[in-house]
Amino acid sequence: GLLFVYYRKLFWTLLNNARFPQLSYHGGLFVVGAALTSLYGTTSFRLDLFHLAGAFNLLVAVECAWLASVVVNDFRDISIDRLSNPNRPLITRAIDPETYRTIGFILFFASIFFAALVSTQAALLLVLYQAIAFLYSADPLRLKRIPIIATAFASLASLLIFFAGFIVFSAEKNIAALPISIPTLLFFAYLAIIPIKDFKDIVGDRADGVSTLPVLLGEAWAKRLIGAAVFLIFIISPFVLSLSQNKNTACRRRAFFLWFFTLVGQTSTVI
């Protein structure tokens, strides 16, 4: 309580910079991955205090991983944020850079620590997630400048969170029971939808030499292309899901609804 009072301004600044749609999205990926263990393979989750505490720890780990990636992104995107997101903490000087960098390290290690308390596999997946986030945002590669490749890496990072949820709560502790059609569908869905986040940064991205889809095609054509891709994904998804090894119609229906809500959640996401 005393720490909150002392660091209250810092806490509220970080909270306002957390990007709540993305927090919900990452948590949703983990939950959907965990939920699918009840449809494919055998779930190890039980509705008791031990499993609920483990699930809570892992959700905290996932959100810390996302927040740590935000810090990395904010440092490298200062020139973009001056034009597109002037309320970010490094732009307003609400947090000094050294303090913000320290917070990033704390969030990174907290993510690994909370995940490792429950599952070493989940911890390793979050380390890989952080590595992709760094390659995406930071020099020397800064993959976000490269169209398609940038989105593919972002899609892969999303799948890692999804896999973490499935592996942790699968009795087999692997993804062997998960039909390849489901992660494949998710990957291409995210590939189609993730560029939505780039529309609000068109001016800053163009000035910084970041070749996002809206920068390359213009806002109108990029919206048409993404809309067509989303429509195509919705059309083919029932057929792809029907290819799963689970021939039970009710299971396929539940899998489709889980998939649907994940896709809708991503569509509404704005970083």
Side-chain angles (χ1 to χ4, degrees):
L2 290 175
L3 283 175
F4 173 75
V5 172
Y6 187 77
Y7 293 107
R8 182 172 53 189
K9 183 178 178 182
L10 177 62
F11 173 80
W12 287 117
T13 299
L14 292 173
L15 193 64
N16 289 331
N17 192 51
R19 282 84 144 177
F20 284 100
Q22 281 285 22
L23 281 174
S24 300
Y25 167 61
H26 281 74
L29 282 173
F30 178 81
V31 170
V32 168
L36 284 178
T37 61
S38 65
L39 305 181
Y40 303 101
T42 305
T43 183
S44 63
F45 181 76
R46 300 292 180 270
L47 197 60
D48 55 38
L49 183 61
F50 177 79
H51 285 89
L52 289 173
F56 178 77
N57 263 12
L58 288 165
L59 278 173
V60 170
V62 167
E63 304 301 9
C64 284
W66 158 246
L67 293 172
S69 72
V70 167
V71 174
V72 174
N73 183 76
D74 283 356
F75 269 105
R76 188 54 187 86
D77 278 3
I78 288 176
S79 58
I80 294 175
D81 289 339
R82 284 198 181 103
L83 297 172
S84 302
N85 303 290
N87 293 322
R88 294 279 160 84
L90 290 177
I91 305 302
T92 61
R93 301 184 183 275
I95 304 177
D96 70 88
E98 285 306 312
T99 299
Y100 199 41
R101 187 175 286 109
T102 300
I103 290 170
F105 279 115
I106 291 172
L107 288 167
F108 172 80
F109 287 112
S111 170
I112 308 309
F113 173 75
F114 282 113
L117 287 176
V118 181
S119 166
T120 54
Q121 292 166 302
L124 289 172
L125 286 171
L126 289 183
V127 169
L128 186 53
Y129 170 91
Q130 296 283 12
I132 292 175
F134 184 84
L135 293 175
Y136 179 87
S137 297
D139 294 321
L141 295 182
R142 204 180 179 219
L143 295 173
K144 70 180 296 180
R145 295 175 298 187
I146 310 171
I148 301 178
I149 291 178
T151 311
F153 270 79
S155 301
L156 178 59
S158 295
L159 278 180
L160 291 176
I161 304 297
F162 171 81
F163 286 149
F166 188 88
I167 289 172
V168 168
F169 292 107
S170 168
E172 296 81 9
K173 301 304 177 189
N174 58 54
I175 59 172
L178 188 66
I180 189 63
S181 59
I182 291 178
T184 300
L185 183 65
L186 285 171
F187 176 82
F188 283 105
Y190 299 149
L191 195 68
I193 293 168
I194 284 176
I196 289 174
K197 69 182 176 57
D198 298 321
F199 282 101
K200 69 182 182 60
D201 292 331
I202 293 176
V203 175
D205 285 339
R206 184 180 288 118
D208 202 49
V210 178
S211 299
T212 62
L213 200 62
V215 169
L216 291 173
L217 300 181
E219 185 173 353
W221 277 105
K223 285 181 177 178
R224 292 189 186 103
L225 180 61
I226 292 172
V230 171
F231 178 74
L232 179 63
I233 292 293
F234 271 119
I235 292 298
I236 68 172
S237 57
F239 301 100
V240 175
L241 289 171
S242 70
L243 299 176
S244 71
Q245 296 171 357
N246 193 325
K247 300 303 180 182
N248 186 286
T249 302
C251 283
R252 289 204 303 266
R253 189 181 300 118
R254 289 196 294 270
F256 174 75
F257 280 114
L258 284 170
W259 140 255
F260 175 82
F261 286 121
T262 303
L263 186 59
V264 169
Q266 172 59 25
T267 306
S268 65
T269 296
V270 179
I271 290 182

